[in-house]
Amino acid sequence: MIKKVKPSEQIEIELKYTGPDVELGTMSIEDMIPALQGFSSAYGKIASEGDLSVTHSLRITGVGKGSFRIWIEIATFAQNNADQIALLANATQIASFGGVGAIAVVKTMMYVVGLVKHTQKLPYEETVNANHQSIIITNSKNVTLEVPIAVYNIFKNGTIQQDLSKIVQPLENGKIDSTTLIAKINNEILLEEIKLEEKKFFEVEEVVVTETKEMWLQGMLNSLTKTTNRGFFLLGDGSRVSYKLATNNPEDMYPYFIHKGLVKVRCKAHLDENLKPAQIEIYEIQPLQGHLELPKSLDKFLRDNEGS
């Protein structure tokens, strides 16, 4: 009979942003949602690499000015305690960090972040260290970094590349200067910082596989760069897509950016491999009444903690 074992690990994660918007308390919720989605997705993908019978539960426990904290609880399932111990002892894919579960997953994520900053999207050389079951990466500046083979495979395969790009999305000149992933594990504190000038190493191009006919989409206008008539559009599910004002007189649409509520846009959408909008071309904008509905769990949390 399979029984549930009490959570074997609990670690506290803080995803912290710094910059003028943070100091003023004006960092937008629409920036936080994609970052949360990116962290959660990256965590889940790395956890699945371990191939363990372990359930990972991520729960938000605090939202402050410019930061949010995530408490990670792990519950393991096994026939009995002996089977549970054997299961964890035989795990090899991410056990090279001195443990499995949440601790190994978070350390893996930090290692991958470090590798991205180390290689900087430039050519590099790799050397296998068979004794340590690791890979030595020599970057374009002839600087070396040694990481476990499992970490290198996640990095090379681009497993969490798209997710990390969401975490750095809020970084913007004059607004948000950096983001730091901080893990508090027992008496140990681990951290990995990504600065604004390093954002370009994490950004990825959206892969467009098809496009739609003209259609209407609802959401919120998030930003506008007048020199290019491009920016970001926040969809109802919290995801953010890039757009282009695709009319002969795009300046006619500028007044709509004063509108703080929902809008609907007549557009042509370019879809990615999951058939989700990756880019849109906007031809018309109409304001709507009401507010953008946040994902239920985050929306409830923010309302419950309003003013705290």
Side-chain angles (χ1 to χ4, degrees), residues 259-301:
H259 181 69
K260 295 183 178 180
L262 288 171
V263 299
K264 67 176 183 178
V265 298
R266 180 170 59 85
C267 64
K268 180 181 293 185
H270 300 268
L271 308 181
D272 62 17
E273 63 271 19
N274 296 315
L275 298 183
K276 292 184 177 180
Q279 305 167 17
I280 59 174
E281 298 173 2
I282 296 178
Y283 304 104
E284 182 181 351
I285 303 175
Q286 294 183 7
L288 293 175
Q289 299 298 319
H291 302 283
L292 180 64
E293 182 179 353
L294 296 175
K296 291 183 180 179
S297 57
L298 181 57
D299 181 44
K300 182 178 185 301
F301 177 84

Side-chain angles (χ1 to χ4, degrees), residues 25-229:
T26 57
M27 183 177 176
S28 60
I29 292 298
E30 56 262 34
D31 279 335
M32 294 172 64
I33 294 173
L36 277 171
Q37 292 172 332
F39 178 86
S40 177
S41 178
Y43 185 96
K45 290 174 183 176
I46 295 173
S48 67
E49 293 286 322
D51 195 25
L52 298 173
S53 299
V54 178
T55 298
H56 301 252
S57 175
L58 280 68
R59 183 166 60 91
I60 303 171
T61 60
V63 176
K65 290 184 178 180
S67 68
F68 38 89
R69 301 171 187 271
I70 304 169
W71 188 263
I72 301 175
E73 299 176 343
I74 300 179
T76 59
F77 296 82
Q79 295 287 344
N80 51 52
N81 288 339
D83 287 346
Q84 178 190 352
I85 293 172
L87 175 66
L88 299 181
N90 290 332
T92 58
Q93 290 197 14
I94 57 176
S96 53
F97 303 105
V100 292
I103 295 174
V105 171
V106 172
K107 286 186 177 181
T108 299
M109 193 183 304
M110 289 186 173
Y111 260 118
V112 174
V113 169
L115 259 180
V116 173
K117 295 196 300 182
H118 179 67
T119 55
Q120 300 183 357
K121 287 188 174 180
L122 295 173
Y124 60 85
E125 296 181 357
E126 58 189 69
T127 305
V128 177
N129 185 335
N131 292 333
H132 293 170
Q133 293 187 327
S134 61
I135 302 288
I136 300 173
I137 305 299
T138 304
N139 66 13
S140 61
K141 299 178 181 178
N142 204 34
V143 178
T144 62
L145 178 65
E146 187 171 358
V147 299
I149 291 176
V151 171
Y152 176 70
N153 288 336
I154 291 173
F155 163 76
K156 185 176 181 179
N157 295 333
T159 305
I160 61 172
Q161 186 176 8
Q162 190 72 43
D163 304 314
L164 294 180
S165 73
K166 291 183 179 180
I167 293 176
V168 302
Q169 268 187 14
L171 303 187
E172 187 175 347
N173 188 33
K175 294 185 177 182
I176 305 296
D177 300 329
S178 69
T179 181
T180 306
L181 179 61
I182 305 170
K184 299 177 182 179
I185 305 169
N186 298 324
N187 296 323
E188 183 181 13
I189 297 180
L190 306 174
L191 60 87
E192 189 69 56
E193 182 184 23
I194 303 172
K195 298 179 180 179
L196 175 61
E197 56 267 27
E198 297 170 323
K199 178 181 179 180
K200 58 181 177 290
F201 305 142
F202 293 85
E203 292 179 324
V204 297
E205 294 291 334
E206 297 283 358
V207 178
V208 175
V209 296
T210 188
E211 65 180 34
T212 67
K213 296 180 179 179
E214 286 191 16
M215 59 186 294
W216 288 92
L217 286 177
Q218 291 188 15
M220 184 178 292
L221 295 164
N222 181 243
S223 64
L224 168 67
T225 302
K226 292 183 179 179
T227 54
T228 60
N229 288 306

